[in-house]
Amino acid sequence: QVQLVESGGGSVQAGGSLRLSCAISGDVDTDSCMAWLRQAPGKEREGVAWIDADGEAQYGASVVGRFRISRDRVDNSLYLHMNKPNPEDTAVYYCAAEPGIRCRGRTDFTHWGQGTQVTVS
């Protein structure tokens, strides 16, 4: 059984930085696509960043150049490095995984974390 647990959310000032973590446990195979998605109040869930098993990363248009996704296979974790966030980045951030595929900007995933709130002011 796959379990994804996010941490690191909280309040941050605009222009600062924050790192979100996702602890991965269970049968997430080496070919999994992993991603961060977010949902702001009253808005649809949107993809923020994706990383394929080979390390290739993709970013949503609103965060490119500011956020960075990384994956550590040694400690089984996924990270989202948020640099210079702005109030429009306020949302619940979710870690997600889909086994055996390339990401290709997908927003539907089999495995989800419970989410962590990020508030930028």
Side-chain angles (χ1 to χ4, degrees):
Q1 183 177 353
V2 174
Q3 188 173 22
L4 306 175
V5 180
E6 300 95 337
S7 62
S11 296
V12 61
Q13 287 191 339
S17 62
L18 194 67
R19 189 184 77 166
L20 304 184
S21 301
C22 174
I24 306 163
S25 61
D27 190 17
V28 176
D29 62 46
T30 57
D31 290 335
S32 292
C33 162
M34 304 230 34
W36 288 96
L37 300 95
R38 69 186 182 187
Q39 188 164 21
K43 295 186 178 180
E44 293 187 356
R45 190 173 293 177
E46 66 169 337
V48 176
W50 300 258
I51 188 165
D52 282 307
D54 62 4
E56 181 175 342
Q58 297 174 274
Y59 296 92
S62 62
V63 307
V64 65
R66 299 188 298 120
F67 292 6
R68 181 172 63 86
I69 189 171
S70 63
R71 183 173 182 175
D72 189 327
R73 296 185 186 278
V74 174
D75 64 3
N76 289 328
S77 293
L78 183 74
Y79 300 100
L80 183 68
H81 309 263
M82 303 173 62
N83 296 312
K84 298 182 179 180
N86 57 56
E88 288 69 41
D89 296 317
T90 295
V92 177
Y93 284 72
Y94 298 90
C95 171
E98 187 66 32
I101 62 162
R102 294 194 68 83
C103 294
R104 304 187 192 281
R106 70 187 300 114
T107 56
D108 57 319
F109 288 85
T110 298
H111 306 292
W112 292 86
Q114 82 288 351
T116 186
Q117 175 72 45
V118 173
T119 302
V120 185
S121 60

